[in-house]
Amino acid sequence: MSFKFLTLLFAIATIACAQQQPIPKTYDGQVVGKAAAPFLLEMFGDFACPDTRDGWFQNIVPLLSSSLSSEIRFVFHSLPLPWHMTSFDAHQSALIVEREKPGSYFEYVSVLFANQDAWSNSILDKGNRNTLWQTLYTYAQPFGVNQTVFMASMADPKLNWAVRVSYKYSTSRSVVGTPTYFLNGVRVANGDELTSQGWQDLMKSL
């Protein structure tokens, strides 16, 4: 199945999602930064996407450690793309880690990205979904997550639905690719090309 065909299917699904979306209990996404910060930076990402990984390590992590970090409220929205067969599970595993050790979401995300080649699509060729879950657990274990709890949570329909709600929220914002960025509610057309310094320069220019 070609990439263009998959993209077309995703676009059709996005149009279908133009109907009423599930309304989350709180604003979608994982957040760091003060609510009153002048800059709201939103990143729509896929843990199995190499471009999202590169944007995370090369641009977002340095930006959130820069002198401007206190003025930024950063929100990460989960968008597991359908052609990345293992991504949905990885996004669900991140919710488990955050639930079991609050405040550890972004640290765990960095671990997932650092090991992306080890758990992404090819792993399903080597075994069943349980193999993937076992691999993801090796990344969750250092965060103090119990293995029995982790495995049961990966099969939990409530957590599965939570990821689906985030996915549907992303499509409701007409996001069809990753990474995609919004600054103060407006899509940044060249966001995936901006370096940490580029983001700082853009924010200071506003």
Side-chain angles (χ1 to χ4, degrees):
M1 190 175 296
S2 71
F3 177 78
K4 288 184 177 179
F5 181 68
L6 287 169
T7 302
L8 176 60
L9 287 179
F10 189 51
I12 293 173
T14 299
I15 294 172
C17 286
Q19 302 174 9
Q20 176 63 55
Q21 302 296 309
I23 301 175
K25 293 181 180 178
T26 60
Y27 188 73
D28 180 76
Q30 299 294 322
V31 182
V32 62
K34 298 178 181 179
F39 302 115
L40 172 61
L41 176 60
E42 298 175 89
M43 179 183 191
F44 293 79
D46 176 351
F47 295 153
C49 169
D51 291 334
T52 302
R53 176 197 61 201
D54 294 346
W56 178 257
F57 283 129
Q58 296 174 15
N59 306 325
I60 297 303
V61 172
L63 176 63
L64 297 180
S65 300
S66 71
S67 59
L68 203 62
S69 61
S70 63
E71 299 182 54
I72 300 172
R73 182 172 176 83
F74 175 75
V75 183
F76 182 89
H77 299 284
S78 292
L79 181 56
L81 299 171
W83 48 87
H84 291 153
M85 302 301 293
T86 56
S87 182
F88 192 97
D89 299 75
H91 283 268
Q92 187 166 331
S93 75
L95 294 182
I96 297 169
V97 172
E98 174 63 19
R99 185 193 64 193
E100 296 300 307
K101 186 179 179 181
S104 61
Y105 185 89
F106 290 118
E107 183 180 354
Y108 179 70
V109 167
S110 289
V111 174
L112 286 179
F113 280 137
N115 293 278
Q116 188 183 80
D117 291 341
W119 62 263
S120 56
N121 289 337
S122 61
I123 196 170
L124 290 182
D125 296 331
K126 302 174 183 178
N128 58 27
R129 179 150 262 100
N130 186 64
T131 302
L132 171 62
W133 292 4
Q134 292 286 354
T135 300
L136 292 172
Y137 177 68
T138 65
Y139 309 136
Q141 184 178 26
F143 293 87
V145 180
N146 176 272
Q147 185 173 17
T148 301
V149 170
F150 182 86
M151 293 301 177
S153 297
M154 287 300 293
D156 185 348
K158 291 183 179 180
L159 282 177
N160 182 285
W161 178 246
V163 178
R164 293 182 185 279
V165 169
S166 291
Y167 171 88
K168 289 174 180 291
Y169 173 78
S170 298
T171 60
S172 76
R173 298 273 301 267
S174 299
V175 178
V176 297
T178 58
T180 296
Y181 300 90
F182 284 70
L183 181 58
N184 290 349
V186 178
R187 184 193 296 262
V188 180
N190 65 333
D192 59 336
E193 300 174 3
L194 291 179
T195 63
S196 171
Q197 187 59 55
W199 280 110
Q200 292 178 67
D201 292 343
L202 174 59
M203 292 175 183
K204 290 178 181 177
S205 72
L206 299 178

